[in-house]
Amino acid sequence: MIALEKAKHPLKGDVFVPGDKSISHRSIMFGALAKGTTEITGFLNSADCLSTIDCFRKLGINIDHTIRPTNGVPTITVHGNGLYGLKAPSETLYTGNSGTTTRLMSGILVAQPFDSNITGDMSIEKRPMNRIIKPLSQMGADISSLMDNGCAPLVIKGGKRLRGITYRNPIASAQVKSAIVLAGLYADGDTVVYEPALSRNHTETMLTMFGADIHNELARDGSAAAILHPGMPLHGIKINVPGDISSAAYFMAAALMVPDSELLIRNVGINQTRTGIITVLRQMGADITLMNETNDSEPRADILVKYSELHGNENGIFEIGGKDIPTMIDELPVVAVVAATGNFDTIIKDAAELKAKESDRIATVVDNLKAMGCDIEATDDGMIIHGGKPLHGADIHSHDDHRLAMSFAVASLAATGTTRILDDGCVGISYPSFFKDFQAIVN
């Protein structure tokens, strides 16, 4: 438990957030499937990403993991064995709290000649896995839920010949898309995954760098396809992981909420499939400037955020939905916090995917904001926030959800009294030093 108070002065200074979680996971996975050495700098040294390393070590991959004493930056070297170089694990693969590890690894494991079992913590054992079981089974995989409830533990029987498929995913999900694509690396024939909107495309971008023949196609209606032509070997590369925009989002929100604040968040990934939060906050009136833009492995920039008077439309309403949702799904909890401090109503819709995260983020965000005095209501696919009511401190139940814990730490900056974040240790899933960095700009 950590106790936080309302901000007493403007927030100023530079912030460095840790490496992107999505890219860190994939760098280990793809490096393991590549021939030769993959060198990774800026790796996110968090519980989720360490679970990925642990699983691939159990699959016979040699991974060197060191921390540079000069700057504390993790450096990873993955000695890949190629697409067909994994070895049968001697125990169940445990993914901790990581849905990315669970789903993407399943796509790899169904193509192996050996059997395997994969599971995670109590949260993972409640998260829906039928969304990958269905398409992987259509490819010829033998994958099932041990408890027959559509959740982990998953039982995978190896030695199956896979075939490429065309799959229309009803929701835009990078994890589902990636699981299918990774199985497609081993399949006979092309694999095509259609989505109603382009989800984060780190898998497509990085697999191309490793040598795979894969690309995205975008339609006029906003729908997208990932198209993989199998047969190309993967080779080791060097990867420089940018800062995670999902982690930067908390400091962006903080600067916008505390009067006269100005924060410069350094070296943040600005992949177009992840920048929905910048787009939406700018539409609300946020003063956000991208500086020093470069493209090293992934596009990145420094993000300058200044306190701003946010607003809705001429009717006092701001709506978030449609194609913006996949580009900011992990940032919606902190966006809800920002919206609660504005003098307008915010409607978040088309976000039913929030129910399938570490917690039901529709219910948990609504419950915690209500506890702080916000006028808010849940809907089937999002929430309606009636801004303008002052927030007050409360006991915040994180439900062991790192996004909730960090979002409501930000909420404390605008709340009178004391805000206590219960089970605050869950931030280690994606941002172990969050509270240290947060207190550095507040104090």
Side-chain angles (χ1 to χ4, degrees):
M1 186 273 292
I2 186 169
L4 303 169
E5 302 291 335
K6 185 175 182 178
K8 295 180 174 60
H9 55 74
L11 312 180
K12 303 284 185 179
D14 290 10
V15 179
F16 293 85
V17 295
D20 188 281
K21 185 156 73 81
S22 295
I23 296 173
S24 295
H25 278 304
R26 287 162 173 79
S27 64
I28 298 295
M29 295 181 185
F30 304 167
L33 301 181
K35 278 286 188 180
T37 300
T38 293
E39 297 179 3
I40 309 161
T41 56
F43 181 84
L44 173 61
N45 209 46
S46 72
D48 269 14
C49 296
L50 294 178
S51 291
T52 295
I53 288 179
D54 179 67
C55 286
F56 276 92
R57 281 175 170 163
K58 290 175 180 175
L59 292 166
I61 301 299
N62 181 11
I63 301 174
D64 299 325
H65 180 195
T66 59
I67 306 292
R68 292 181 184 175
T70 54
N71 58 12
V73 175
T75 301
I76 307 291
T77 304
V78 182
H79 303 278
N81 290 338
L83 282 171
Y84 300 94
L86 299 181
K87 298 178 181 178
S90 59
E91 58 187 283
T92 295
L93 297 171
Y94 182 73
T95 63
N97 188 252
S98 178
T100 301
T101 310
T102 307
R103 294 192 175 111
L104 270 63
M105 279 197 63
S106 295
I108 295 169
L109 292 171
V110 296
Q112 303 307 314
F114 50 78
D115 297 347
S116 55
N117 294 337
I118 186 168
T119 194
D121 64 10
M122 290 179 62
S123 171
I124 287 296
E125 291 187 348
K126 295 177 183 177
R127 295 177 69 176
M129 294 296 161
N130 275 335
R131 55 180 58 183
I132 62 167
I133 293 173
K134 178 182 176 181
L136 293 178
S137 298
Q138 289 180 16
M139 299 177 78
D142 187 341
I143 176 172
S144 60
S145 166
L146 179 64
M147 305 304 293
D148 198 28
N149 62 354
C151 300
L154 301 178
V155 178
I156 298 169
K157 301 295 183 182
K160 306 300 180 182
R161 186 170 181 174
L162 303 184
R163 56 186 174 273
I165 61 170
T166 295
Y167 186 74
R168 296 188 178 276
N169 199 13
I171 59 171
S173 168
Q175 291 183 7
V176 174
K177 174 178 62 177
S178 298
I180 299 168
V181 163
L182 289 171
L185 292 172
Y186 299 86
D188 296 332
D190 295 348
T191 294
V192 183
V193 182
Y194 287 100
E195 301 180 288
L198 180 62
S199 63
R200 59 183 66 180
N201 66 350
H202 299 303
T203 292
E204 298 95 304
T205 299
M206 293 181 66
L207 280 179
T208 299
M209 294 167 56
F210 276 92
D213 186 355
I214 184 172
H215 67 281
N216 292 117
E217 290 185 357
L218 303 179
R220 290 183 179 179
D221 65 357
S223 61
I227 302 170
L228 170 72
H229 307 292
M232 300 296 291
L234 307 184
H235 52 80
I237 61 173
K238 292 184 178 181
I239 299 174
N240 182 6
V241 181
D244 197 323
I245 194 168
S246 295
S247 297
Y250 305 108
F251 297 100
M252 294 167 62
L256 292 173
M257 289 166 50
V258 179
D260 300 321
S261 293
E262 181 175 323
L263 293 176
L264 183 62
I265 311 163
R266 299 280 191 178
N267 187 40
V268 181
I270 53 168
N271 181 300
Q272 63 175 342
T273 64
R274 300 284 300 281
T275 52
I277 185 169
I278 294 176
T279 300
V280 165
L281 290 177
R282 280 175 169 170
Q283 291 170 352
M284 282 183 176
D287 186 345
I288 300 175
T289 305
L290 300 184
M291 306 170 63
N292 304 317
E293 295 186 49
T294 59
N295 196 330
D296 179 6
S297 303
E298 288 264 354
R300 63 193 71 209
D302 299 336
I303 303 177
L304 179 65
V305 187
K306 299 179 181 179
Y307 170 75
S308 307
E309 295 274 356
L310 303 182
H311 56 77
N313 62 17
E314 62 274 11
N315 297 317
I317 299 172
F318 191 85
E319 191 170 289
I320 305 170
K323 61 182 177 58
D324 287 328
I325 296 298
T327 67
M328 58 184 300
I329 190 70
D330 287 336
E331 292 77 66
L332 285 173
V334 78
V335 169
V337 166
V338 173
T341 66
N343 290 311
F344 54 93
D345 292 347
T346 300
I347 300 171
I348 299 175
K349 65 179 186 178
D350 305 321
E353 179 72 4
L354 288 174
K355 296 178 180 179
K357 294 293 184 176
E358 283 83 342
S359 68
D360 176 346
R361 288 181 182 160
I362 293 176
T364 53
V365 168
V366 168
D367 287 348
N368 280 312
L369 276 175
K370 278 185 178 179
M372 298 186 78
C374 179
D375 184 358
I376 183 173
E377 57 191 285
T379 63
D380 288 342
D381 64 349
M383 60 194 77
I384 301 173
I385 303 162
H386 304 287
K389 295 190 68 174
L391 300 183
H392 56 75
D395 284 355
I396 300 300
H397 296 274
S398 71
H399 299 274
D400 288 322
D401 186 332
H402 54 132
R403 303 291 178 204
L404 285 186
M406 292 184 280
S407 294
F408 282 91
V410 173
S412 73
L413 298 175
T416 57
T418 301
T419 300
R420 301 196 310 168
I421 312 293
L422 309 179
D423 302 318
D424 58 292
C426 59
V427 300
I429 290 168
S430 64
Y431 194 161
S433 64
F434 172 76
F435 284 110
K436 176 183 176 182
D437 296 348
F438 181 77
Q439 296 284 20
I441 66 162
V442 171
N443 295 333

